[in-house]
Amino acid sequence: MSENNELRKAGLKVTLPRVKILQMLDTAEQRHMSAEDVYKALMEAGEDVGLATVYRVLTQFEASGLVTRHNFDGGHAVFELADSGHHDHMVCVDTGEVIEFMDADIERRQKQIVEEHGFELVNHNLVLYVRKKP
């Protein structure tokens, strides 16, 4: 990803903190990161970006469509790059781990249910709260 081009396309000025945060989101092993996760990763990488700046930049990224914010039950907000297609999530209630999945049968059935009730599906967000089997 060319961070400078992505920022410009989103209508944001290219600044060092924005570039560093976008790079972190793009290269991190963890796809769903809280503001605190981003801040800690930047600190570990030796980057001097304050936590308030991380929060502000993530909010700007969300407003411009670069990231998607998720507020899963029982937890704080996490962010993911908005570069992938539609997918749903499973959240482990014990660890907080977020697992992405896509299931064509679920997608088809949701559309059928909506149509059966006389509506048109505009958008949806499916989150399954899970726990590892003992």
Side-chain angles (χ1 to χ4, degrees):
M1 172 189 298
S2 171
E3 286 80 11
N4 291 0
N5 288 339
E6 291 298 318
L7 290 169
R8 286 190 191 101
K9 282 194 315 191
L12 295 171
K13 184 178 174 185
V14 177
T15 64
L16 190 57
R18 286 181 181 147
V19 170
K20 295 294 181 189
I21 292 168
L22 195 53
Q23 284 174 338
M24 184 60 60
L25 291 169
D26 189 36
T27 60
E29 188 174 309
Q30 184 180 354
R31 182 154 163 80
H32 301 84
M33 299 178 76
S34 68
E36 293 84 4
D37 293 334
V38 172
Y39 173 72
K40 287 176 191 170
L42 288 167
M43 296 306 296
E44 289 171 5
E47 301 295 343
D48 186 24
V49 178
L51 182 57
T53 300
V54 171
Y55 274 104
R56 184 173 55 256
V57 168
L58 288 172
T59 300
Q60 293 166 348
F61 284 1
E62 179 187 15
S64 67
L66 283 173
V67 301
T68 302
R69 176 192 306 249
H70 299 285
N71 293 299
F72 299 124
D73 289 352
H76 48 283
V78 293
F79 300 84
E80 70 174 311
L81 287 176
D83 61 351
S84 63
H86 171 76
H87 57 269
D88 296 308
H89 297 94
M90 291 187 290
V91 178
C92 178
V93 296
D94 295 326
T95 66
E97 178 186 8
V98 179
I99 302 104
E100 294 179 356
F101 72 95
M102 172 58 181
D103 185 289
D105 289 336
I106 291 174
E107 297 301 314
R108 181 186 47 74
R109 186 65 185 122
Q110 289 175 125
K111 289 177 185 173
Q112 284 177 339
I113 292 168
V114 168
E115 288 176 9
E116 287 169 6
H117 286 86
F119 290 94
E120 168 186 9
L121 184 62
V122 176
N123 194 4
H124 80 278
N125 184 14
L126 175 65
V127 181
L128 303 176
Y129 294 93
V130 300
R131 173 176 286 130
K132 291 271 187 191
K133 288 184 177 182

